[in-house]
Amino acid sequence: MGLSTLNRVFSLVSLIWFVVMSHCSPYVASSSTQEALALLKWKAHLQNQSPSLLSSWTLSSVNATNTSTHLKTQISPCTWFGISCNHARSIIGINLTSTNLKGTLHELSFSLFPNLAFLDLSLNELFGFIPTQISHLTNLEVLYLSANQLSGSIPKEIGNLDSLSDLELDQNQLSGSIPPSIGNLSNLKVLCLHTNHLSGAIPKEIGNLKSLLDLRFSKNQLSGSIPRSIGNLSNLEILYLGNNSFSGAILEEIRNLKSLWCLDLGINQFSGSIPPSIGNLSNIKYLNLLDNNFFGSIPHEIGYLSKLIKLELSKNYFTGSLPHNICRSKSLTHFVIAENRLLGRIPKDLRDCTSLIRVRLNKNHFIGNISEDFGIYPNLRLIDLSHNKFYGEITPTWGKCSLLGTLNISANNITGSILPEIQNSIELHQLDLSSNHLIGEIPVELGKLTSLNKLILTGNQLSGGIPH
């Protein structure tokens, strides 16, 4: 929109406003008219709009009754794209997600929308700060500003929106600390601040949000320990704190989060051992402690998590052997404990866990017979047993894992030959048997693995030629 066009829009808006205000005495401009003019003013300041979507936002929506006296001149935005109104024709919802909006929020007069309950401006190109006047939206229940380019800090005034149940500011460029005033939002059920540049500690006031179901702070620069008050969030179902700089231990208060089904603490600087109270999280399905400084043994209480689907404990300093019941869950699909200092035999529970899809045991000190300690996994797509002390021979059993795409048994003590039955793993695209004690010829049946794009057999005693 050119400058001359903008000037014409402002002149026309001003004229309408003057007519309404000066000729309606003792009447005043309706709430609907004020809201419409506020939206038109904001639209005029946007750098670009999607014509096909916001073309309905025009002054042609004027509904003039008795225009000779202008006593009831109104502009109704209720038929505009993305706008919802109540019976009094006042705006209660604005949904402009993914509409290619580019501009700031500063020209949007939030104080003129007293009944607004739903505001979704996500997936656009909005930039600049979140204005403090957003606190005027006292009836707002849902605020989505996700996936924009907003910067600056989260205004402390956001704590005045005590009707909020869903606050999502994720995937922006917000910085600074999380304001303690966020603890005033007692009705909040969803709080998503992930993928920003937030720093500092989680305020202890977070424990006031006792209605909270979903808390996502991952992919920021947050630090410090988890406040003990988080144990007050007994209704919490999802807790994402991964990809930050948190430190300290997992608090015993975690035992109170009995509704939790997803816990992600991965890629931080947490330390200490896993508390036995982890076994109290009876609804947990996803547990991620990847890439921290945890040490000690894996408590057998993890075996109590009967609904567990994904377990990720890689890149820590865990020692000792695996608890015999660690794979008790019949739903377990991802068992990832690579790059630790674990040792001993693989529990029978793991051998019998036919639901497994991805298994990573690599870079530990496990020992055992590869032909006896592992079973047939009909759903298995990846297994990495490399850099351990497994021995024995590759049996035809592995060929029965028909969906297997990646098999890595390198850097072990495997003997015997490569069996022709390997051809039955028709989905195999990566096979690494290097640095073992394999003998014999490379079977021609490998040529039937048409999906194979990575084959490493170095560091063995194989003989003969390479099959055509």
Side-chain angles (χ1 to χ4, degrees):
M1 183 179 291
L3 185 59
S4 60
T5 307
L6 278 174
N7 289 333
R8 288 198 298 272
V9 170
F10 283 132
S11 298
L12 190 53
V13 169
S14 299
L15 177 61
I16 293 290
W17 185 256
F18 175 78
V19 169
V20 171
M21 294 301 291
S22 60
H23 290 83
C24 289
S25 179
Y27 300 96
V28 295
S30 71
S31 172
S32 179
T33 299
Q34 293 183 54
E35 293 167 348
L37 293 174
L39 289 176
L40 288 173
K41 179 184 176 184
W42 181 53
K43 176 188 174 182
H45 279 85
L46 293 172
Q47 294 182 11
N48 67 315
Q49 310 95 34
S50 178
S52 61
L53 296 177
L54 293 189
S55 57
S56 60
W57 288 29
T58 67
L59 292 174
S60 62
S61 301
V62 171
N63 174 18
T65 304
N66 193 7
T67 53
S68 60
T69 59
H70 300 288
L71 291 178
K72 296 181 180 179
T73 301
Q74 290 188 351
I75 303 173
S76 175
C78 299
T79 59
W80 291 0
F81 172 81
I83 303 301
S84 303
C85 295
N86 59 17
H87 293 301
R89 303 178 69 80
S90 179
I91 294 176
I92 58 173
I94 301 176
N95 185 356
L96 298 177
T97 183
S98 303
T99 47
N100 196 31
L101 302 178
K102 187 172 184 179
T104 71
L105 296 174
H106 296 109
E107 298 299 331
L108 184 55
S109 301
F110 292 104
S111 60
L112 298 179
F113 300 91
N115 300 306
L116 192 64
F118 181 93
L119 178 59
D120 186 354
L121 303 178
S122 60
L123 293 162
N124 283 292
E125 297 180 58
L126 299 173
F127 56 89
F129 298 165
I130 299 175
T132 57
Q133 64 159 312
I134 202 168
S135 62
H136 291 291
L137 302 178
T138 54
N139 288 308
L140 196 64
E141 297 175 8
V142 174
L143 177 57
Y144 296 151
L145 299 178
S146 306
N148 280 284
Q149 299 163 19
L150 298 170
S151 57
S153 59
I154 300 172
K156 65 180 185 302
E157 289 80 3
I158 211 160
N160 297 334
L161 306 179
D162 52 14
S163 296
L164 269 186
S165 64
D166 194 337
L167 175 59
E168 302 188 19
L169 308 178
D170 53 281
Q171 301 175 73
N172 280 286
Q173 299 170 19
L174 298 172
S175 58
S177 58
I178 300 172
S181 61
I182 215 159
N184 297 338
L185 307 178
S186 57
N187 293 305
L188 207 59
K189 290 182 171 62
V190 178
L191 177 56
C192 292
L193 305 180
H194 65 88
T195 320
N196 278 288
H197 305 299
L198 299 171
S199 58
I202 299 176
K204 65 180 186 303
E205 288 80 3
I206 206 78
N208 298 337
L209 308 180
K210 296 182 180 179
S211 298
L212 206 59
L213 302 176
D214 189 343
L215 176 59
R216 305 189 189 210
F217 288 169
S218 55
K219 295 185 179 178
N220 278 287
Q221 298 158 19
L222 298 168
S223 58
S225 57
I226 302 175
R228 294 190 177 278
S229 61
I230 210 164
N232 298 336
L233 308 181
S234 57
N235 293 307
L236 197 64
E237 297 177 356
I238 298 173
L239 178 58
Y240 283 157
L241 300 180
N243 290 80
N244 280 286
S245 298
F246 291 117
S247 58
I250 298 178
L251 303 173
E252 284 292 336
E253 283 80 359
I254 201 170
R255 68 168 64 242
N256 301 328
L257 308 183
K258 295 182 179 179
S259 299
L260 206 63
W261 60 265
C262 183
L263 175 60
D264 182 2
L265 305 181
I267 313 180
N268 277 288
Q269 298 171 23
F270 289 113
S271 59
S273 58
I274 301 177
S277 56
I278 200 85
N280 285 38
L281 306 181
S282 56
N283 288 302
I284 204 80
K285 295 180 180 179
Y286 305 97
L287 177 59
N288 182 6
L289 306 182
L290 165 72
D291 202 354
N292 278 283
N293 298 314
F294 291 116
F295 56 82
S297 60
I298 298 174
H300 73 273
E301 285 82 2
I302 277 190
Y304 300 162
L305 308 180
S306 59
K307 297 180 181 179
L308 198 60
I309 294 175
K310 295 184 179 181
L311 177 64
E312 171 63 271
L313 305 179
S314 295
K315 295 185 179 180
N316 282 286
Y317 300 96
F318 292 118
T319 56
S321 57
L322 293 177
H324 65 88
N325 63 345
I326 196 168
C327 297
R328 182 176 292 179
S329 171
K330 302 301 181 185
S331 305
L332 193 65
T333 62
H334 290 60
F335 185 71
V336 184
I337 55 173
E339 298 185 50
N340 280 287
R341 299 172 180 176
L342 297 163
L343 47 77
R345 299 290 292 260
I346 300 302
K348 181 178 180 296
D349 272 1
L350 183 63
R351 187 189 68 190
D352 298 337
C353 189
T354 57
S355 58
L356 287 170
I357 294 175
R358 294 177 67 88
V359 177
R360 287 189 180 273
L361 309 181
N362 50 295
K363 295 185 180 178
N364 279 287
H365 305 290
F366 291 120
I367 192 169
N369 192 324
I370 198 169
S371 61
E372 297 176 356
D373 291 356
F374 296 92
I376 299 173
Y377 308 105
N379 303 304
L380 191 65
R381 287 167 172 78
L382 179 150
I383 186 166
D384 189 344
L385 308 177
S386 63
H387 297 274
N388 279 289
K389 299 177 181 179
F390 292 116
Y391 56 88
E393 299 185 2
I394 302 173
T395 63
T397 298
W398 289 101
K400 297 178 181 179
C401 301
S402 58
L403 297 180
L404 190 59
T406 298
L407 174 61
N408 189 344
I409 319 179
S410 62
N412 279 284
N413 296 311
I414 308 302
T415 56
S417 59
I418 304 173
L419 299 180
E421 286 82 358
I422 196 74
Q423 67 179 311
N424 297 327
S425 299
I426 57 174
E427 299 294 328
L428 206 61
H429 58 269
Q430 293 191 18
L431 177 61
D432 189 348
L433 306 178
S434 61
S435 301
N436 280 289
H437 307 289
L438 296 172
I439 59 173
E441 296 186 353
I442 302 173
V444 296
E445 285 79 6
L446 279 179
K448 296 181 180 180
L449 300 177
T450 56
S451 298
L452 199 64
N453 57 49
K454 183 178 181 181
L455 175 63
I456 306 178
L457 302 176
T458 56
N460 284 287
Q461 289 87 50
L462 296 170
S463 59
I466 299 175
H468 176 71

